[in-house]
Amino acid sequence: KSESIRDCIGEVQGCIFYLVNLTRSDDNQASRDARDVLKNLSFSDDNVIQMVKANYFKYLLQRLSSGSSFT
């Protein structure tokens, strides 16, 4: 939830892809934690785009349904 850590995680190549894959894990705690991190990363358009590239559309759909636009 720290803003500086959030920025760093979003910039690590492959990190969002890895987190998206963890959401599909059989380990319920790992899956839940990955979803929480992705939620915290969804503040950034770039992060949401990376999530979409990894086939995770939750935050894109939320933005589209709320009428938010990408910058």
Side-chain angles (χ1 to χ4, degrees):
K1 294 181 184 179
S2 165
E3 194 170 316
S4 60
I5 292 173
R6 205 172 50 185
D7 293 340
C8 290
I9 291 172
E11 292 175 2
V12 174
Q13 183 176 3
C15 185
I16 290 176
F17 179 77
Y18 180 71
L19 288 166
V20 168
N21 283 321
L22 273 177
T23 65
R24 302 176 186 120
S25 171
D26 291 335
D27 181 338
N28 290 332
Q29 186 62 49
S31 178
R32 205 171 17 252
D33 290 345
R35 285 192 303 271
D36 288 345
V37 173
L38 288 169
K39 180 180 180 181
N40 287 326
L41 293 174
S42 69
F43 76 97
S44 160
D45 290 346
D46 291 334
N47 291 345
V48 172
I49 291 168
Q50 290 299 315
M51 291 176 204
V52 169
K53 288 180 180 178
N55 294 321
Y56 192 78
F57 299 96
K58 179 177 181 173
Y59 297 106
L60 173 66
L61 295 174
Q62 282 182 357
R63 286 178 180 220
L64 292 174
S65 67
S66 71
S68 296
S69 63
F70 285 95
T71 57

